[in-house]
Amino acid sequence: MKHSLIIQIARFGDLVQTKRLITSLLLSSGGEVHLLVDNSLKSLAQIIYPEAVVHSITAHGTGLSGAEAVRTMLVDNRRVFEHLRSIDFDDVYNLNFSPLNYRIAALFDSDRVHGHRWIDGQEKPSEWAAMAMRWTGNRRLGINIVDFWGAYAQPLCPPEAVNPDASPKGGGVGIVLAGRESRRSLPAEHIARIAGVFAAKHRGPVSLLGSGAEAAAGEDVLDRMPSSLRERTVNLAGKTGWGELCEVVSSLDMLMTPDTGTMHLAAHFGVPVHAFFLSSAWCFETGPYGLGHTVYQAVQDCLPCLEVAECHHAVKCLEPFSDPSFVRTIATGKHGFLPDGLTVFETAFDELGLTFKAAAGPDAEAQQRKEFRAFLASHLGLSDASAGADQDLWANKLYRDKQWIFDQ
């Protein structure tokens, strides 16, 4: 029996976005897939990936201090590492770029490690990871991270096999209050106004979702709602564990959200997502995976930016979401009202995986993105596109000299 290990010790959203890789391995190998996650995500991983063997370590903040924190990091983690090292893994997929990831990768034979490898005391990414570092110079052309991580496994499962097509489940509307990155989120007054439009289209409760840190923001949103909407709205921020969150999200008619882990969880369950992407969030990189989702993408020239960098434009990308014509667009479904600075993207599939088609608004990179995706699909053996001028252009940009030698 083949044994594979996926090292995914990043955050909530990254765990859910590992699904195509996990699905591909389960469908193709017929073996056992092991998954290493942070302790805080172990129960969630067991819920959404019941077929996988889940291991966990302390990779992020422990809430502990002093000797207790040191013991947890050194003793408990080491016990897990020793157990993993005792398993004869055929393949190890190291997905994250971090010092801890590299040290974990060093536990295994480097010839079996895919992604971020540690060889003879040096960080040496595999070719697919190295190619990604080259194309990130133009993030508007980047591929969805679900497909990027999924492509480490061959054969790659069809994109349709990852998440179910989205459809209402009957449980009302979910509203995610904020994302981990502040500039990606809408202010309370925007959320209350837009939530009212979506709630008018669906019966049932309205659930405000978030961590304990967003509880006060939930109360602010409630205060801004009309009384008729407030009466059917419950603030669940900070009140749901992973099991309760999965129960709520999987039952919804739709989820309104910025770029968040909860958005990816909704797509996992086939719940329709209406997402608002601005600042550093770019739907072609991290949009909801599957058919039946909609993203309202800010398209200023400075986007996508870096969240850690100062914004010199007074968060101009937020302005279209406060325009009254944006609410009118959602309420009527008529894209003629769409304000400048936004594009409405709808999810679609091509031979590479998830992409987005502009239903309204500009998509200046559409043709260039199509050519880029065709090259990657050919590189991965997902299409038989012949090498022409466009193929040579992308090969010159993304291949190293030594790879040209072996590929010709």
Side-chain angles (χ1 to χ4, degrees):
M1 177 186 294
K2 185 174 182 179
H3 293 78
S4 302
L5 172 65
I6 299 170
I7 305 170
Q8 177 53 280
I9 55 174
R11 305 288 182 174
F12 171 18
D14 299 277
L15 173 63
V16 186
Q17 291 176 101
T18 313
K19 191 175 180 181
R20 193 176 188 187
L21 175 57
I22 293 174
T23 303
S24 295
L25 292 173
L26 288 171
L27 291 177
S28 65
S29 70
E32 204 169 60
V33 175
H34 294 244
L35 179 62
L36 178 64
V37 301
D38 181 70
N39 286 327
S40 64
L41 295 171
K42 182 176 182 179
S43 61
L44 176 64
Q46 290 171 328
I47 292 171
I48 62 177
Y49 301 125
E51 306 92 342
V53 180
V54 179
H55 311 266
S56 67
I57 59 170
T58 299
H60 305 301
T62 63
L64 305 174
S65 61
E68 192 175 4
V70 173
R71 187 194 69 80
T72 298
M73 293 291 289
L74 296 183
V75 178
D76 293 351
N77 283 6
R78 183 174 180 176
R79 186 180 301 115
V80 177
F81 296 153
E82 290 175 349
H83 174 62
L84 292 175
R85 194 171 188 177
S86 70
I87 302 173
D88 186 23
F89 288 113
D90 298 274
D91 293 284
V92 176
Y93 301 89
N94 188 27
L95 304 186
N96 314 123
F97 182 86
S98 77
L100 179 56
N101 273 86
Y102 279 115
R103 299 310 180 269
I104 298 172
L107 297 172
F108 308 101
D109 184 342
S110 61
D111 290 339
R112 302 186 184 190
V113 178
H114 309 268
H116 299 285
R117 301 176 299 179
W118 185 260
I119 303 176
D120 297 329
Q122 297 185 50
E123 301 171 0
K124 293 186 178 180
S126 61
E127 183 57 39
W128 182 238
M131 284 178 65
M133 293 177 185
R134 295 172 212 139
W135 75 59
T136 52
N138 189 342
R139 289 178 57 199
R140 292 198 177 201
L141 302 184
I143 69 172
N144 193 277
I145 198 168
V146 175
D147 296 322
F148 171 69
W149 280 333
Y152 280 122
Q154 297 296 330
L156 186 60
C157 76
E160 297 86 353
V162 178
N163 289 332
D165 292 356
S167 62
K169 311 304 180 188
V173 175
I175 310 293
V176 180
L177 293 164
R180 192 162 58 91
E181 309 291 354
S182 60
R183 288 208 307 258
R184 295 186 180 195
S185 305
L186 301 183
E189 61 267 26
H190 293 52
I191 294 174
R193 188 182 311 115
I194 299 169
V197 177
F198 284 123
K201 297 182 177 183
H202 299 276
R203 296 181 179 180
V206 176
S207 301
L208 304 182
L209 303 171
S211 67
E214 282 91 52
E219 294 304 312
D220 191 6
V221 170
L222 279 170
D223 290 342
R224 296 171 185 275
M225 287 179 168
S227 58
S228 58
L229 179 56
R230 192 182 309 129
E231 290 172 357
R232 53 187 281 219
T233 302
V234 57
N235 183 9
L236 295 178
K239 300 178 182 178
T240 56
W242 292 125
E244 294 87 354
L245 181 64
C246 288
E247 288 181 10
V248 172
V249 171
S250 64
S251 71
L252 295 173
D253 288 313
M254 63 148 290
L255 183 76
M256 168 184 153
T257 180
D259 183 5
T260 63
T262 306
M263 175 191 75
H264 298 296
L265 188 63
H268 166 81
F269 288 120
V271 169
V273 168
H274 287 260
F276 307 99
F277 274 48
L278 65 158
S279 184
S280 57
W282 190 247
C283 67
F284 288 93
E285 293 179 328
T286 57
Y289 204 96
L291 299 182
H293 307 295
T294 301
V295 174
Y296 305 90
Q297 175 72 62
V299 287
Q300 304 294 333
D301 291 341
C302 54
L303 303 182
C305 61
L306 293 175
E307 186 73 23
V308 295
E310 181 182 357
C311 177
H312 299 287
H313 306 284
V315 197
K316 184 179 179 181
C317 56
L318 179 61
E319 293 178 3
F321 296 100
S322 63
D323 192 314
S325 60
F326 176 61
V327 175
R328 191 177 181 186
T329 298
I330 296 175
T332 63
K334 296 180 179 179
H335 294 149
F337 299 120
L338 188 71
D340 292 338
L342 282 181
T343 297
V344 179
F345 282 113
E346 296 177 347
T347 52
F349 289 139
D350 62 11
E351 66 271 21
L352 183 60
L354 181 74
T355 187
F356 288 84
K357 302 297 183 184
D363 183 12
E365 293 82 19
Q367 182 57 36
Q368 189 180 15
R369 187 182 300 111
K370 181 180 179 181
E371 295 170 358
F372 169 67
R373 294 178 64 84
F375 169 79
L376 291 185
S378 177
H379 170 82
L380 294 171
L382 302 173
S383 68
D384 57 357
S386 59
D390 294 331
Q391 294 285 302
D392 289 345
L393 172 67
W394 285 109
N396 280 317
K397 290 182 178 181
L398 299 179
Y399 284 166
R400 291 174 174 167
D401 289 343
K402 66 178 183 180
Q403 189 170 2
W404 267 111
I405 293 172
F406 290 116
D407 287 353
Q408 298 307 304

